[in-house]
Amino acid sequence: MVGLPYQDYRSVMDTVEYGGELLRRFGENGTLLPMIAPLAPFVDPGCRLFEEAERFGYRLFARTLREHRQAMLMPTWKQRLNYETSWMSRDEIVRATYDGALRLIELKAAHGLLDGEEADEIRAHIRMAVALEWRIENADVIDGSLREDIFRLNRMDLLCQKHELQWPVKGLKLKLPNILKLLFGR
């Protein structure tokens, strides 16, 4: 997760490298799929972190429903992000997310979790997103061409493949007695 208290760019990259170490030790069979993504787009309204943002080192940009709605209409996810921390600005959160994802793609490919073509495709999507972000921020107006590029890129899997977000358990393999033991400590 990118955007946590005390986290800076270096610690994000260290987390990605730790993911690589875990892959080296335990992930060769594909059961371990590390992923890096921002705490986005919002710190959840009503949670303790939202209610006591300053105490935890967060600066919130949206507090009301109207402000959150307005943020969701912004053209980039950086502009929709409703927070930054004392340790990372929104720009740094975005940079750490993209750089961390690019490095994680390298590590997954090196450990056989992505083939070269998949890795190249995800890297290309990330690079397109970075370039599009720059174009949006430097555009005087979002014209039809830019709007088309935004919608096309928003339909792509950027940081990982969709299958990586799916729970690998098939069928009912969870045992209710074990879950109850975990919940009630017996």
Side-chain angles (χ1 to χ4, degrees), residues 14-183:
D14 289 345
T15 298
V16 171
E17 293 303 323
Y18 180 65
E21 174 62 19
L22 292 175
L23 283 173
R24 186 186 67 72
R25 291 171 55 195
F26 308 110
E28 295 299 329
N29 64 2
T31 59
L32 179 66
L33 288 171
M35 184 178 157
I36 191 99
L39 172 67
F42 304 137
V43 172
D44 296 330
C47 75
R48 188 170 176 203
L49 193 63
F50 183 87
E51 298 301 325
E52 302 175 47
E54 295 78 23
R55 178 175 174 217
F56 293 100
Y58 282 82
R59 176 175 168 233
L60 300 180
F61 299 105
R63 287 200 170 268
T64 67
L65 179 59
R66 176 176 291 216
E67 291 169 339
H68 281 90
R69 184 182 177 282
Q70 283 304 116
M72 290 306 296
L73 298 174
M74 299 304 289
T76 70
W77 72 268
K78 179 177 86 174
Q79 294 166 329
R80 289 189 292 270
L81 204 58
N82 83 331
Y83 71 93
E84 65 185 15
T85 72
S86 298
W87 305 273
M88 282 198 293
S89 67
R90 282 198 280 196
D91 285 329
E92 291 167 320
I93 290 169
V94 169
R95 187 175 136 241
T97 299
Y98 285 141
D99 289 353
L102 285 168
R103 176 66 180 132
L104 195 54
I105 297 308
E106 290 175 18
L107 293 167
K108 288 179 180 181
H111 290 278
L113 298 177
L114 292 173
D115 65 38
E117 188 175 310
E118 287 176 308
D120 288 343
E121 182 180 338
I122 297 169
R123 277 192 289 267
H125 290 174
I126 292 171
R127 289 185 182 114
M128 287 183 342
V130 170
L132 185 59
E133 182 110 19
W134 185 89
R135 283 179 54 208
I136 292 168
E137 288 187 2
N138 291 287
D140 293 329
V141 66
I142 296 179
D143 61 14
S145 171
L146 188 52
R147 186 174 288 114
E148 203 174 286
D149 288 346
I150 292 168
F151 287 128
R152 187 176 60 251
L153 194 64
N154 281 342
R155 289 190 295 269
M156 295 180 181
D157 301 333
L158 285 178
L159 300 179
C160 64
Q161 297 286 353
K162 283 262 192 260
H163 75 273
E164 293 183 80
L165 300 175
Q166 296 171 349
W167 187 255
V169 175
K170 299 224 188 296
L172 189 58
K173 293 186 179 181
L174 301 176
K175 297 179 182 172
L176 188 58
N178 292 342
I179 293 171
L180 292 173
K181 285 180 190 176
L182 283 172
L183 291 174

